[in-house]
Amino acid sequence: MVDFWADWCGPCKALSPALEAAAASRQGKVELVKVDVDANQQLAALYRVQGIPNVKVFRDGEVVDEFTGALRPAKVEAFFDKFVASRADDLLAAGDELSLREAAELEPQRADVAVALAAARLGRGAETEALEAISGHESDFGAAGIAARVRLTRAGLATEAFAALDRGERDAALDTLIRAVSELPHNGDALSADLDPDEARDLLRRAIVGILSESDPGDSSARAYRRKLAAALG
């Protein structure tokens, strides 16, 4: 990765920390080089740098991709991911709780890592630890789904569905959760000491949306389940 920049360029200085963090997290798999366009005008002209910051990716001496402008850190990470995964990505792919905990320590801002770690902890019944894993990621659909699951199971609701989910039976879990939404009473009588029907309905919705948020964009069954959820919420 070659960062064409200049000392007078404010966006260049804004982008640099994200570039450096993304390169460092890949532990030598990618080399980040900075080129001052003022001091290297011929080089900048050779590679047709027309605006800065301009980041170009070189492979075997050829430019294979580039972007211009100061991207947000998440966008920078996604750009790097096109060419080399971060250490946290490798650990996320491993999937075991120890690897996921290390990934969360390396990149605590990543909601996908936090949700995977929380799910692993739920798999062994560690609800409090699961909630700790997603702390700070409440706006993420997956994290909100984890939090909803904990509240539901502590109220004694939908335990069969979540047991199916832990066994890898996603569709069975979704069918059970959506059926539970449909079967909730519409009066205000409390279902438990903690929940009334409206609260339970919202928590079930959040749990279902959280599960579906992990589906691939082209997953037709996920789209079908979203329609079923909408109908059940009616």
Side-chain angles (χ1 to χ4, degrees):
M1 300 272 183
V2 179
D3 175 21
F4 290 90
W5 76 298
D7 187 60
W8 49 263
C9 171
C12 297
K13 294 179 179 179
L15 178 65
S16 286
L19 291 174
E20 292 164 4
S25 70
R26 284 154 180 81
Q27 299 183 325
K29 294 179 181 179
V30 59
E31 183 177 2
L32 177 64
V33 178
K34 298 176 71 68
V35 174
D36 185 331
V37 296
D38 289 337
N40 299 275
Q41 294 181 18
Q42 290 185 333
L43 191 61
L46 175 64
Y47 288 105
R48 300 177 182 177
V49 176
Q50 297 179 339
I52 56 174
N54 179 212
V55 176
K56 297 181 186 288
V57 183
F58 287 79
R59 179 175 286 161
D60 299 327
E62 300 293 332
V63 177
V64 296
D65 205 348
E66 64 181 288
F67 69 84
T68 301
L71 302 183
R72 298 192 307 274
K75 292 286 188 181
V76 172
E77 288 288 342
F79 184 77
F80 272 68
D81 283 343
K82 293 164 60 177
F83 305 98
V84 58
S86 69
R87 170 65 175 163
D89 287 319
D90 292 338
L91 292 166
L92 178 60
D96 61 279
E97 187 176 342
L98 186 61
S99 296
L100 292 169
R101 187 172 63 187
E102 183 181 348
E105 292 170 353
L106 287 171
E107 298 188 31
Q109 77 283 1
R110 288 185 54 173
D112 58 340
V113 172
V115 169
L117 176 58
R121 289 174 171 176
L122 283 179
R124 59 178 175 83
E127 293 180 344
T128 300
E129 291 180 39
L131 293 176
E132 291 172 354
I134 57 171
S135 177
H137 299 282
E138 289 78 6
S139 62
D140 178 80
F141 288 131
I146 294 286
R149 168 179 172 169
V150 171
R151 279 206 65 194
L152 287 165
T153 54
R154 285 177 174 176
L157 300 175
T159 55
E160 179 184 343
F162 296 126
L165 186 64
D166 290 339
R167 293 194 299 268
E169 300 170 7
R170 187 202 71 163
D171 289 359
L174 288 169
D175 287 335
T176 302
L177 289 169
I178 291 173
R179 185 167 60 250
V181 173
S182 301
E183 293 174 351
L184 281 172
H186 289 278
N187 56 42
D189 294 339
L191 296 174
S192 70
D194 299 319
L195 298 178
D196 63 34
D198 287 340
E199 290 173 318
R201 188 174 291 106
D202 185 59
L203 289 171
L204 288 166
R205 178 189 63 79
R206 289 173 183 266
I208 294 165
V209 170
I211 295 169
L212 292 174
S213 70
E214 299 180 19
S215 304
D216 292 330
D219 186 343
S220 59
S221 66
R223 291 196 296 271
Y225 277 116
R226 289 188 180 95
R227 290 194 295 270
K228 290 179 182 179
L229 174 60
L233 291 169

